[in-house]
């Protein structure tokens, strides 16, 4: 129901201050579509970003209190779009690095989204980020939020609950004591879904959609380690673009110059998917006859930080 608001003429400075206070209260308690446009449409206020809420859903990173985020405003509801505006953290809030680039909000509901850290966007005009299969590094992680909430001049504070763009895979490769006679030198590790793999995909941070094609032969990463008898190596730690693995995840090792492979069934992964924000730990055992998949895949929300050799002892 449309609200009718009647205001008396303002005659003194004291009355004017009272008028402003009352009007601001009316705007603050109203939603973006609740207040009569004749009252609110002339009010333009800067977007504010609550520092305590950025990254609230990114497990283990916690609240982001450093660096910069990139913020986008779409053309929804008549706004002039702005792309990849840098907001940096200062003391207890996020502010635009260049003040004149502040995103301004009117009475219309605004569509605002963001990512962290600033500079990861590949194409600002299309609000896309390129996700590439690569060795893990905390500085390579990307977080994004497709919405900052119900925003307008009445409610100008954005809440960006960031989520991870990548999935993470760790391998623990063990050498079965007495059942492998080679030197145990691993020189390459390849990942495939059937005969292909998506080693590069494009994420649209405006809506979270991911697109991209696969490459024949899978994704190979040169790897250099020697696994002693009865021990294990857990240093293989990579970031992967989210993707479907309906044929299972085939892990191929080049060990002592020989190529050997094992396929993790899709049912042991996230219902046939490698899912963003998830960490997959897979145990493999090398013997003279084969490489075997040992036990179950551990799937969890992954935490930031470098890999540690937690499976160095092998049983």
């Amino acid at each position: 129901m449309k609200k009718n608001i009647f205001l008396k003429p303002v005659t003194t400075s004291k009355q004017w201050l009272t008028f402003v206070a009352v009007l601001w209260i009316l705007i603050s308690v109203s939603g973006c579509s609740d207040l009569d446009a004749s009252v609110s449409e002339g009010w333009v206020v800067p977007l504010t970003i609550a520092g305590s809420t950025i990254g609230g859903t990114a497990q283990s990173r916690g609240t982001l209190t450093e660096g910069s985020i990139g913020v986008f405003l779409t053309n929804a509801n008549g706004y002039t779009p702005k792309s990849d505006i840098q907001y940096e953290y200062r003391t207890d809030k996020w502010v635009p690095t260049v003040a004149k680039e502040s995103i301004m909000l009117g009475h219309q509901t605004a569509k605002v989204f963001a990512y962290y850290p600033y500079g990861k966007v590949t194409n600002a005009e299309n609000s896309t980020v390129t996700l590439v299969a690569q060795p893990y590094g905390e500085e390579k992680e990307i977080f994004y939020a497709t919405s900052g909430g119900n925003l307008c001049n009445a409610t100008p504070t954005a809440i960006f609950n960031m989520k991870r763009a990548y999935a993470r895979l760790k391998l623990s490769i063990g050498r079965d004591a007495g059942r492998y006679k080679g030197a145990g030198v691993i020189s390459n590790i390849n990942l495939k879904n059937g005969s292909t793999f998506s080693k590069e995909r494009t994420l649209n941070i405006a809506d979270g959609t991911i697109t991209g094609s696969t490459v024949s032969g899978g994704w190979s990463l040169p790897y250099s380690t020697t696994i002693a008898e009865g021990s294990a190596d857990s240093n293989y730690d990579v970031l992967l673009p989210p993707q479907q693995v309906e044929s299972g995840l085939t892990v191929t090792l080049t060990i002592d110059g020989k190529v050997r492979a094992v396929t993790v069934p899709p049912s042991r992964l996230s219902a046939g998917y490698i899912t963003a924000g998830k960490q997959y730990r897979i145990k493999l055992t090398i013997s003279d006859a084969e490489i075997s998949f040992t036990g179950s895949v551990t799937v969890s929300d992954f935490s930031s930080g470098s890999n540690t050799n937690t499976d160095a002892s092998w049983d």
Side-chain angles (χ1 to χ4, degrees), residues 242-264:
Q243 58 192 282
Q244 188 173 15
V245 282
E246 71 278 4
S247 298
L249 181 64
T250 299
V251 182
T252 302
L253 306 181
T254 301
I255 179 167
D256 295 329
K258 298 177 181 179
V259 176
R260 294 185 178 178
V262 62
T263 298
V264 179

Side-chain angles (χ1 to χ4, degrees), residues 17 25 45 63 97 113 129 132 138 140 149 165 196-197 223 287 298:
L17 292 174
I25 290 171
V45 301
T63 301
T97 302
F113 55 95
V129 175
V132 180
E138 187 173 354
K140 300 173 185 177
T196 65
F197 197 77
Y223 196 70
S287 68
T298 302

